[in-house]
Amino acid sequence: MNKITLPITSPMMKRQFTFGVATASFQIEGGIEHRLPCIWDTFCDTDGKIADSSNGKIACDHFNKWQDDVELISSLGVDAYRLSISWPRVIKQDGTLNEEGVSFYQNLIDGLNAKNIKVFATLYHWDLPQHLEDQGGWLNRETAYKFAQYVDLISKELGEKVHSYATFNEPFCSAFLGYEIGVHAPGKTGKANGRQAAHHILLAHGLAMPILQKNCPNSLNGIVLNFTPCYAASDSDADKQAAEYADQYINQWYIKPIMDGAYPSIIDKLGNDWAPDMQEGDLAIINCPVDFLGINYYTRLLYSAPTQDGEFYTEHDHLFPRTDIGWEIYPKALTELLVSLNSKYTLPPVYVTENGAAIADQMVDGIVQDTDRINYYNGHLNAVNDAITDGVNVVGYFAWSLMDNFEWAEGYLKRFGIVYVDYDTQVRTIKQSGLAYKDLITSRGE
Ligand code: FCB
């Protein structure tokens, strides 16, 4: 199939539904000599951390090619572009603004707005300034206050030209992958570290929210969380319990404090060694109303009872079919996720802020026929539509990603773009999935 089709009666086929594409600063910008070093620069320089030993020094050279990229985004017919602001690009080591970095985003945002493209800016997509990591990074409570200062300065500069601010992208990844199992920067490990980093990131979110609401009251201010729905590997009570624990530990841990002002009950099983240090009032700060919730979804996982002391679950390998990064393709879990979050919490309007597939693309005669990616989008967009039919207030969807880019620990080996990037020439070519996405978007009625 070469098309993405939604039922003609779907609310997603109306212009008021927001369709966008997404990227993140470290993954596309390059231009590192114009900013402070960040934890991903350091991680890339550490042997064995990145699959192809690559780094973000050039990436998609978006720092220099941003004007062409604005044209490219506009040519896709999207309503919105989700980008991230690089903290180490806009703030200097003394905590004041780096005017050059601020101008870069000012120009980019003006360029997008001039094309009628709404800007969804994420204020932290994993590129913590290295000098803050040297002082403990997200294990240091002080970093949360540093983040709030940065948010105050940058949101005063960019103001309401930014349609929507997200404080964080995927706290789970920063905390769990970065500080608990160490496969992402800064590569620290240990349950206590992971839980502590998560708490400080959530605290930083809670401290930043009132600042955004004050500086940019007309912008939509919220957060982007990722979810990997947890399914029991069998009907046994032990496996169901394991899946429930996994869900609390990797998913609900990040949303429940924001929505309900409490951690999920698994916190009581962590004991003093692993539970995070908190101060009185922290949960009330985190439990601040958000204007929207961004949800990133790629795949699900299966769980069974733990086989080791001290563990809560055993995680299974992904089932098939899989994308090129090894993640199971299972659109139904996206519907079930949205419906279950909607029943557990009182949700604000929801945007699916990331969804997409890594495919081993081949360019033949200038064409990338990425049928598997088109099928992925077709399945998942229809899954979103099913959730809307079931009563979930989903108001937007962003494809990950606008273009192929630096895929973290996988380097440049995994391609998620709807636009192909030739890293030798930096030439961008819209893939067939990009054309299918454009077709869908431009075929919407009033
Ligand atoms: C998400 C990240 C994004 C991208 C996709 C594939 O976890 O937010 O930067 O790498 O995965």
Side-chain angles (χ1 to χ4, degrees), residues 26 39-56 182-185 187 405-414:
F26 190 87
I39 55 174
W40 273 93
D41 298 315
T42 311
F43 200 64
C44 290
D45 284 346
T46 313
D47 278 350
K49 298 295 185 192
I50 311 296
D52 59 358
S53 306
S54 64
N55 55 52
V183 297
H184 276 189
N405 57 50
F406 175 79
E407 179 43 40
W408 307 113
E410 304 287 341
Y412 296 95
L413 300 177
K414 303 298 171 198

Side-chain angles (χ1 to χ4, degrees), residues 104 138 141 147 150 216 361 366 423 436:
F104 170 71
W138 290 113
R141 186 179 170 92
F147 177 76
Y150 144 61
C216 308
D361 294 313
Y423 293 112

Side-chain angles (χ1 to χ4, degrees), residues 23-24 27 82 125-126 169-170 172-173 177 184 224 226 296 298 325 327 354-358 400-401 405-408 416:
T23 62
Q27 294 179 277
R82 176 171 175 249
H125 201 127
W126 308 357
N169 175 71
E170 304 188 345
F172 161 84
C173 291
L177 303 181
H184 276 189
V224 170
N226 64 304
N296 294 354
Y298 290 92
I325 202 166
W327 300 345
E354 282 181 35
N355 177 235
W400 183 273
S401 174
N405 57 50
F406 175 79
E407 179 43 40
W408 307 113
F416 272 94

